[in-house]
Amino acid sequence: MGAAENIPEVLLKLEQVEAQTGMKKSYIYREMEKGTFPPRHKIGGGTRWFQSDVQRWIAARSNAPRWQPDNAAMPAADCDTTRH
């Protein structure tokens, strides 16, 4: 076994998941229902997420192509109001 295999998994509470992802509870649960967010795990009397799962989800989102409007190639409108 390698050294990394001996490191215990870090378990996150919902508040910690919200802080790490910047997402609120309603979004997290909605995305879990769609299967696009890591599942929660019942541990003892609480619900927890594996930090490694959450970190992989964050990394996958940061590697996704950035959104661009359909007309991104068009020049921006001239909004200079100083000209008369």
Side-chain angles (χ1 to χ4, degrees):
M1 249 198 299
E5 295 170 12
N6 294 326
I7 299 171
E9 178 67 59
V10 175
L11 301 172
L12 302 175
K13 295 179 181 181
L14 176 61
E15 296 79 22
Q16 294 169 305
V17 174
E18 288 177 320
Q20 287 192 15
T21 62
M23 306 299 172
K24 294 292 182 190
K25 175 182 177 177
S26 58
Y27 176 86
I28 291 167
Y29 279 89
R30 185 172 53 246
E31 294 303 306
M32 277 192 326
E33 286 178 19
K34 292 195 281 187
T36 58
F37 193 84
R40 64 185 176 198
H41 302 276
K42 295 289 186 176
I43 311 271
T47 299
R48 303 287 187 271
W49 284 260
F50 292 144
Q51 184 177 35
S52 60
D53 289 345
V54 174
Q55 292 300 312
R56 279 195 302 274
W57 181 84
I58 292 168
R61 286 179 52 94
S62 66
N63 292 331
R66 298 286 181 224
W67 177 86
Q68 289 187 352
D70 293 337
N71 59 356
M74 294 178 63
D78 184 359
C79 297
D80 187 355
T81 57
T82 59
R83 288 189 232 162
H84 297 326

